[in-house]
Amino acid sequence: MVFGQVVIGPPGSGKTTYCNGMSQFLQLVGRKVAVINLDPANDSLPYDCAINIEDLIKLEDVMAEHSLGPNGGVTFVLVVELYRVIRVADMQLGLVYCMDFLDKNIDWLEAKLKPLLKDHYLLFDFPGQVELFFLHENAKKVIMRLVKKLDLRLTAVHLIDAHLCSDPGKYISALLLSLSTMLHMELPHVNVLSKIDLIESYGKLAFNLDFYTDAHDLSYLQHHLDQDPRSAKYRKLTKELCEVIENFSLVDFTTLDIQDKVSVGNLVKLIDKTNGYIFAGIDSSAVEFSKIAVGQVDWDYYRVAAVQEKYIKDDEVFDDEIITSPQPPSSIAEHDLQKDER
């Protein structure tokens, strides 16, 4: 069996930086790592990749050959903004085409992977076009074929920029994206708030960090959404979407500072449990397996509390909005109790 990670997430969430940092960390702990770049738009890689999709197909060639590139006849009247919109849309179409091309030429990827299967841990760096992982089938088909044919044990590592927590509307969008991706990909799945060291760069959090990592009782966000006229007009829709997320009860997050070896190490332990790496080579009783599977008692502290203490300022003086707004329960037990009372 071969183990690895499928690294996905929106543009700017830090996927390439993650692959670079994770490969360095895993090599330091004694694993042979192979990074596979499957993003044809990523032409400046900070890591040495064992396989590069650009050896098969290049996004620039696709855009040129199929007229998906920016229209050369765009006049000055259309200005730069329209040019940007056209370019982004064309790049998205180009990425869909590239993934479809990879699906149809999967034998190329299989042949490249076979020499690595004996002793390598695999990191797949995918494009940042989120539609590929909750809407289109091509990326999923590529992954499922590799899993079944090459007997891979893969975990989807879904990165979300932590600063989205500072905006309730964006945070709910991130939850919906994570849920849709989990249901579509059908892989062991770990949602990660990346760049946790920058979480307050775009504003203060309305609640403690555990509210955002556990995603319980999202109705407490409604007060803050109502403060924004753009969000208030969609109050009913937002309420229904939050109920959908809570009813599935699938989404939660762990945190990551890719420059902190303790943070990376804790994430690796979690991923190793989800894809089964932690059980590799063990030939023992069910009791021994269950001992390994049981999470460490202080896991929640390292996942949330220690991160809050390190990266989030605890101001002694709170503004009136935070004092008067509804506050979420501080524990799951209290959360259940409040529901019973209602």
Side-chain angles (χ1 to χ4, degrees):
M1 292 185 294
V2 181
F3 300 91
Q5 304 174 27
V6 174
V7 184
I8 57 179
S13 57
K15 295 181 297 298
T16 299
T17 302
Y18 172 90
C19 288
N20 186 33
M22 181 59 70
S23 63
Q24 292 180 29
F25 180 87
L26 293 174
Q27 288 172 20
L28 286 173
V29 298
R31 301 188 197 180
K32 292 185 69 174
V33 181
V35 185
I36 296 93
N37 175 44
L38 296 181
D39 184 358
N42 194 351
D43 55 2
S44 56
L45 298 172
Y47 53 76
D48 294 327
C49 54
I51 303 172
N52 193 342
I53 193 175
E54 288 200 340
D55 294 337
L56 175 68
I57 187 170
K58 293 184 178 181
L59 180 62
E60 292 181 356
D61 294 342
V62 171
M63 294 172 70
E65 181 178 348
H66 297 277
S67 301
L68 294 175
N71 189 343
V74 175
T75 62
F76 181 76
V77 178
L78 295 180
V79 296
V80 176
E81 287 304 318
L82 181 56
Y83 175 86
R84 287 176 179 169
V85 171
I86 293 173
R87 182 170 180 82
V88 169
D90 288 345
M91 286 185 67
Q92 290 176 344
L93 290 172
L95 287 170
V96 172
Y97 180 93
C98 289
M99 202 53 56
D100 182 57
F101 190 83
L102 177 62
D103 178 34
K104 293 177 180 177
N105 293 272
I106 191 67
D107 293 341
W108 172 87
L109 182 56
E110 290 177 4
K112 292 280 189 178
L113 282 170
K114 284 180 179 177
L116 305 173
L117 299 182
K118 184 178 179 180
D119 56 359
H120 280 77
Y121 186 96
L122 306 178
L123 295 175
F124 292 88
D125 187 2
F126 272 88
Q129 187 178 355
V130 295
E131 298 95 320
L132 292 172
F133 306 104
F134 77 86
L135 182 62
H136 297 292
E137 291 290 330
N138 296 333
K140 178 181 176 181
K141 286 163 65 177
V142 167
I143 295 169
M144 289 297 107
R145 181 163 174 180
L146 295 178
V147 167
K148 293 176 181 178
K149 193 165 184 179
L150 301 181
D151 194 25
L152 304 185
R153 299 291 185 268
L154 301 176
T155 290
V157 179
H158 188 220
L159 303 181
I160 295 291
D161 197 322
H163 90 265
L164 297 181
C165 296
S166 62
D167 184 315
K170 292 179 181 178
Y171 173 67
I172 292 173
S173 298
L175 290 173
L176 280 172
L177 174 61
S178 300
L179 176 60
S180 301
T181 304
M182 292 175 76
L183 296 175
H184 183 76
M185 294 299 291
E186 299 180 342
L187 283 174
H189 199 101
V190 176
N191 292 306
V192 180
L193 291 176
S194 62
K195 308 178 187 176
I196 196 67
D197 51 315
L198 304 176
I199 189 169
E200 289 196 317
S201 298
Y202 293 84
K204 296 285 294 181
L205 298 184
F207 307 112
N208 284 338
L209 184 60
D210 59 349
F211 176 84
Y212 300 96
T213 56
D214 297 342
H216 287 308
D217 212 339
L218 301 175
S219 61
Y220 285 99
L221 289 172
Q222 197 66 56
H223 170 81
H224 298 276
L225 287 166
D226 290 345
Q227 307 307 307
D228 185 347
R230 295 171 299 177
S231 301
K233 64 186 294 187
Y234 302 111
R235 179 186 178 90
K236 187 175 180 180
L237 173 62
T238 303
K239 182 174 181 289
E240 296 295 332
L241 291 175
C242 289
E243 288 181 0
V244 169
I245 295 167
E246 290 185 324
N247 288 339
F248 272 97
S249 192
L250 288 175
V251 182
D252 63 4
F253 293 95
T254 187
T255 58
L256 175 67
D257 174 4
I258 195 63
Q259 298 179 330
D260 183 351
K261 63 181 181 182
V262 174
S263 179
V264 178
N266 287 331
L267 178 58
V268 169
K269 291 177 185 177
L270 178 60
I271 294 171
D272 285 350
K273 285 186 178 181
T274 59
N275 62 22
Y277 182 91
I278 195 171
F279 303 109
I282 296 177
D283 184 14
S284 189
S285 65
V287 175
E288 293 302 317
F289 274 96
S290 56
K291 284 181 181 178
I292 296 173
V294 172
Q296 53 187 2
V297 177
D298 55 356
W299 164 248
D300 272 340
Y301 172 76
Y302 285 109
R303 182 175 69 98
V304 180
V307 175
Q308 170 120 6
E309 292 174 6
K310 185 173 183 178
Y311 297 113
I312 300 177
K313 295 178 182 178
D314 186 14
D315 296 335
E316 293 183 0
V317 180
F318 298 88
D319 57 31
D320 293 338
E321 179 184 351
I322 295 179
I323 292 175
T324 58
S325 64
Q327 294 297 306
S330 57
S331 66
I332 295 177
E334 186 180 341
H335 168 270
D336 293 338
L337 179 61
Q338 287 190 11
K339 278 196 170 182
D340 292 340
E341 291 175 349
R342 290 200 293 267

